[in-house]
Amino acid sequence: MLGRIRQLFWKIATLFRSESWLLKKVRHEAQALKDELEGTLTDKAVELLLYAMDVAFLLLANYRRNLRGFTGSYVLRTADNKVAASALFANQKMSVRREAIASPTVTVTFKTAQALRRFLSAKEPDILDSLLANDVEVEGNLNYVYKFCFMARDLTRRLGIS
Amino acid sequence: MPPITLSDLSLERHVLSPRVEALRKAYFRAMPEVCIERASLVTEVSRELGLFRKSRISPLEKARLYRRVFERRTPVVRHRTARELGSVPFELSDRSLFAGSTTTRFKGVPLYPEFMALALWPELQTLSTREHNPYAITHEQVRVLNEDIFPFWLECNISERGRKRSVLDQATAPDEAMAIKLLDYLVFFLTSKPNCISHTIPDFSQAIDFGLRGIADRANQKGAASTDDESWDFYAAIALAMEGIVAYSQRLAAEARRLAAGASNGQERDELLALAEIHDRVPERPARSFREGLTTVWMCWVAAHLENSNVGLSLGRLDQVLYPLYAKDVADGDLTIDDAIELLCCLWLKIGDHVPTVPSAGEQLFGGTGSNQAITVGGVDKDGNDAVNDLTYIMLRATELLKLRDPNLNARYYPGVNPPAYLWRLCDVNLKTKATPALHNDQAVIAALMAKGETIEQARDYGIVGCVEPTSSGRAYGHSGSILMNLISALEMALFNSEHRHTGLGVLISKRTGDPRVCETFEEFQAAFALQIAWLVEQATTLNNLYGRIHQEFYPTPILSALFEGPMDKGKDLIQGGATINSSGVGVIGFADVVDSLAAIERVVFVEKSMTFADLLTALQADFVGFEALRLRLRNEERTPKYGNEDAAANAIAHWLAELLDRLYGSTPNYRGGHYRVGYWTMTNHAGFGRLSQATPNGRSAGQNFTSGITPVAGETPSLTKALNSVASLPSKWLANGVAFNVKYMPGGGAQMLDRFVDAVETYFAAVPGRRSGGMEIQFNVIARETFEKAMGNPDAYPDLLVRVSGYTAYFKDLNPQMQKEIIERTTYDLSTGHAVQFPTV
């Protein structure tokens, strides 16, 4: 519920504020993400990343170009299912769910919470590095993971938290 | 046997021309730049033709694609700028004697989105600043790739098609899904088909002798006479593909004329007009001169790389193919040695004008690799006569002068047939370049290929593909790098009853072969290990055959098929089995470490009984922490048998293992009607797989490099002669996909160094009928440890420090730190004593 209210706030804010102001606000949210990653609550980190992505799509026209013509769905989870979130992309929009959806395009399972943290806090998150380190299993179309990693890195670069 | 007319085989007084000096300087200054033209045009035309959404693509549909791409691609005659590290542009003076370019860049990174280009997607924005081997890329290129090109291929590159097929086949072929899962773990094997097939040698003689118009005419005649749709489609594809290449060449001619009209001086204008005249004629029509012959080869090469990934396509025996034109020009007084060297140098630089696409994570496994385009010189002709000619020595000199990693020069030598002076010169070039060419023993290689069913004429006409793989030139479609198998993983699963420490003990991977702790004899354990190998072979070949079928449906290769013996007669594309010889090649990694591990288990657990298997496993799981005395004992070649010391126990295991792998793979059919062949060359995978693998019974600690190629483990073979003899004792009939035997010498040694160098090669190559076939291949690094250490500390001061990795040549500065360490720690021999030099580890 809180998440929906915040999204509504941001949608209204886009109508009245400059992109630079909004970017500053998103950066503030992103700092919260960074603090989260440095803390112990990894279960929130995935959701925060997806939330930040969602907000960025709302606010940043250039970033929104990543959604053009793109349809796909992701589940990011840990092997013990303590962390699970889903991202759905369709019709130039993104939606985030706090649980694993059925039949996603791709499921990325991090074998431990530490593996998830390593991925999210990496200077440049790279799924191939995670595969090499045996940190993850990918079920589904790996190409979609490549795209997701581009969007995640693009976001962190824009927000200055990489 | 052509006469040697050169008075000085070293051609010492012939040096680089100013033209080539300038190009070489620019080559080493330039960083690779991403070129999106190929990806963009292939995507654009695929959309237009509705390709890759279809359930199958025919050769004619592919030929239509390429025809349009040839019409649209930029005809680059002169490069004006390049970029150096930091993506800083600089101007260059490009007066190459060849026009055309693999990409639009001076040193380009061509992208193949049908294959593995999408693996670069995550790092597009940081490609130009990544730590290892950055590629320059512009913001606009990032945008186009991210928004336009890559999304098109999300569902239809080879990798994803293979995965989807394995899901569809799950009920009927459950092994495919398992094999893909094993691939994802990265520690069992790699398969290269999602990235390429390539890895072959075209037959340029058809294009040189008859022109592409001649090939097209023959295809049209065959098509008119064909009685089935499939062969008609194929012949029409050949004709259309040849037209495309001709059209591209003619566009180069037009561009050369346009540039000539605006040239600032007469010499430049004349050179451009000469280029235009050449491209008016070739490759459409037969070549009449050495330069026209080289241009034909170059045009076919550019075309082959439009169609096939730049991984392991190789040029074959150019000294044989081009010798008649060379000799004619020299006899007519139209060509001097300096002219020939200049032409070859310009061509070599053109051949090296691109690098393969390697994502950051891939740098850990393949770091520093070029495109591995091998050229082969020397050896014997199809009748078994000495084939070394003047052009052989000229190509050696060009290679010596340029010191490029690509093309990768390989030299064939037939003891007793090729002249001793030739071997002397080959060793001389190795001493001067410190790393090239690799040397291949014709006697052993020809025997190996004949053991696989090739005729003696076919076998005698072998060239080297990629790293070191022998392949009958222009007639064998062998995908010599189809599988890279980590042999240590099979040992791991035998040690831990089908579980693997990398994927986690408790997770069953293969079929149970029993707890080794209850083995009563070494043979029991050996049998369990053999079962694990057999299982892994089955998984790897299942996967390769799956991807092979995907290639058959979606990736016919009409351009390459046109330049090959077989497809024209059979009326079928190479991918459908059109070649005269069809096989698939495997590179096995970890041979020496496995042999030594097995020998250690046999000696320590079963012969001396100085420890139980349980204790050994405990030590391995602890990574020898708390077991240092055991680790040293296992590493000590005086107490534990080691491959490379002519030890009977280790030799027996090495022979057993090589025969087993050859039998298992050799009896497995591939998807083209051929079988698999085994080789022992590792590129940099011995470092990559080593990083992923835990401690092994030969005393190796977790994460440490494996040993390269078929080379004995570093630091454990003090005698050069014993090392040479041990490797040479392996029958070549079991090694048909080639070996890389990496030998490192201390430089210096005075005037006698070269004589000793030659002696060592002759010792290694020597065959004893009925007892040993002689060593197949040997390659060298002749660089002091201090030089390597300085280069690690200051890589910019050593931009052209060439090394032999395990097959290909690379620049030391481009290798990742783990690979650099591996090369430094290789056993170094002092040729004056024949003994290993003791050095501390890095």
Side-chain angles (χ1 to χ4, degrees), chain A residues 80-96:
Chain A
D80 59 10
N81 269 322
K82 283 190 178 161
V83 177
S86 302
L88 294 89
F89 297 88
N91 303 317
Q92 302 243 102
K93 289 191 181 118
M94 175 187 183
S95 58
V96 180

Side-chain angles (χ1 to χ4, degrees), chain B residues 538-566:
Chain B
E538 192 185 333
Q539 301 306 312
T541 53
T542 295
L543 192 63
N544 183 62
N545 288 346
L546 163 68
Y547 280 119
R549 290 194 297 278
I550 299 297
H551 273 261
Q552 286 180 322
E553 290 169 18
F554 297 103
Y555 221 83
T557 52
I559 293 175
L560 203 52
S561 297
L563 304 171
F564 229 83
E565 177 190 301

Side-chain angles (χ1 to χ4, degrees), chain B residues 403-558:
Chain B
K403 292 202 202 63
L404 302 178
R405 69 175 178 187
D406 241 346
N408 169 20
L409 196 73
N410 289 265
R412 293 174 46 171
Y413 177 68
Y414 201 124
V417 178
N418 291 140
Y422 168 63
L423 177 61
W424 194 96
R425 176 62 182 141
L426 294 178
C427 296
D428 181 41
V429 176
N430 264 285
L431 281 177
K432 286 173 176 156
T433 61
K434 307 183 194 317
T436 202
L439 306 187
H440 300 263
N441 179 1
D442 264 18
Q443 264 189 308
V445 173
I446 292 168
L449 296 177
M450 289 179 66
K452 293 301 173 189
E454 297 185 16
T455 68
I456 193 167
E457 290 83 8
Q458 291 169 341
R460 281 172 175 159
D461 195 26
Y462 81 89
I464 297 301
V465 162
C467 290
V468 294
E469 304 92 278
T471 303
S472 192
S473 302
R475 64 180 67 79
Y477 195 50
H479 194 184
S480 53
S482 70
I483 294 169
L484 297 167
M485 177 180 170
N486 180 8
L487 194 58
I488 291 284
S489 278
L491 178 66
E492 178 83 7
M493 291 192 289
L495 289 170
F496 295 99
N497 197 8
S498 313
E499 297 170 14
H500 196 297
R501 284 173 286 176
H502 179 74
T503 49
L505 293 180
V507 175
L508 181 66
I509 296 292
S510 65
K511 297 174 184 168
R512 296 279 186 204
T513 49
D515 186 340
R517 289 173 292 191
V518 303
C519 285
E520 294 189 357
T521 64
F522 174 66
E523 286 71 23
E524 263 184 71
F525 178 72
Q526 211 175 5
F529 175 52
L531 287 173
Q532 294 293 352
I533 292 181
W535 183 85
L536 211 52
V537 167
E538 192 185 333
Q539 301 306 312
T541 53
T542 295
L543 192 63
N544 183 62
N545 288 346
L546 163 68
Y547 280 119
R549 290 194 297 278
I550 299 297
H551 273 261
Q552 286 180 322
E553 290 169 18
F554 297 103
Y555 221 83
T557 52

Side-chain angles (χ1 to χ4, degrees), chain A residues 14-61:
Chain A
T14 59
L15 297 174
F16 297 104
R17 290 289 186 167
S18 68
E19 189 156 309
S20 60
W21 181 89
L22 292 166
L23 193 58
K24 214 162 128 182
K25 282 297 176 189
V26 174
R27 281 194 173 135
H28 177 74
E29 292 286 337
Q31 188 60 43
L33 168 65
K34 192 175 175 186
D35 293 340
E36 194 70 49
L37 288 169
E38 287 168 358
T40 57
L41 299 174
T42 312
D43 57 332
K44 288 270 199 264
V46 172
E47 201 184 315
L48 276 172
L49 169 67
L50 296 178
Y51 170 66
M53 214 182 251
D54 189 14
V55 169
F57 283 131
L58 280 172
L59 302 182
L60 306 173

